[in-house]
Amino acid sequence: MPRPSTFTDDLAAQILGARRVGFGKGKAKEVPEAIRKATEQAKRQMVRIPLREGRTLHHDIEGRHGAGRVVMRMAPTGTGIIAGGPMRAVFEMLGVQDVVAKSIGSQNPYNMIRATLDGLQKEMSPRMVAQRRGKKVADILRREDAPAAEAAEAAEA
């Protein structure tokens, strides 16, 4: 009869500085060693996430990994973090204060974290969009507000 496995598996999310987060998974026979390995891997896989006013997302995002899907929405001030389990830990580590998130599909914590990070990596700030298009930030923001301004002018007339 084969001997049962005695490996310990650990999951770690790491934050270094503001708006940077990484994810790692470590496996070892002892818990401290598994934590150390997971933390080292998380430090190597750090990604920078832009936040709006340092408290919420710039726009609504969907992240996917395997069968897991995560929907994240920006929220007004005072909403707090409305997210379940592993997603909440990622948002707290990032310093996000207001966000609404829902996981759909897989409930596996590894896939939920990977889907959350996938979505967060897709997020783009107005500065990033302007730089990619070769325009000024004011031009990008003005275009978004233009239809609302035109509708207000038409209503007044």
Side-chain angles (χ1 to χ4, degrees):
M1 186 169 194
R3 200 169 123 199
S5 176
T6 57
F7 284 102
T8 302
D9 209 6
D10 197 10
L11 178 69
Q14 180 76 27
I15 185 163
L16 278 176
R19 301 181 185 106
R20 287 179 58 192
V21 69
F23 161 73
K25 179 174 138 180
K27 195 170 183 180
K29 290 193 176 196
E30 296 180 12
V31 174
E33 185 67 13
I35 292 171
R36 185 189 65 75
K37 287 181 178 181
T39 305
E40 283 180 9
Q41 187 179 6
K43 285 180 183 177
R44 284 194 303 266
Q45 296 181 1
M46 286 289 191
V47 290
R48 184 175 300 276
I49 308 298
L51 295 178
R52 181 181 195 172
E53 299 168 4
R55 62 165 193 81
T56 190
L57 306 174
H58 284 282
H59 52 84
D60 299 349
I61 311 167
E62 181 178 312
R64 297 185 67 94
H65 182 82
R69 197 175 105 205
V70 174
V71 178
M72 298 167 274
R73 303 191 70 193
M74 55 191 270
T77 307
T79 303
I81 300 174
I82 301 175
M87 287 189 300
R88 175 180 290 276
V90 172
F91 292 132
E92 286 175 353
M93 288 203 150
L94 265 175
V96 176
Q97 297 169 2
D98 303 306
V99 68
V100 177
K102 177 75 179 163
S103 67
I104 303 164
S106 175
Q107 295 302 308
N108 179 336
Y110 292 103
N111 288 346
M112 285 175 67
I113 288 180
R114 286 185 179 120
T116 304
L117 291 177
D118 174 62
L120 290 172
Q121 288 174 353
K122 293 177 185 175
E123 183 184 23
M124 298 191 76
S125 68
R127 178 179 289 159
M128 293 166 69
V129 173
Q131 185 178 13
R132 195 176 74 194
R133 294 182 188 175
K135 300 190 178 223
K136 295 180 181 176
V137 176
D139 294 338
I140 301 294
L141 294 177
R142 214 176 294 135
R143 265 197 207 134
E144 293 174 3
D145 296 337
E150 290 174 8
E153 288 176 15
E156 289 175 6

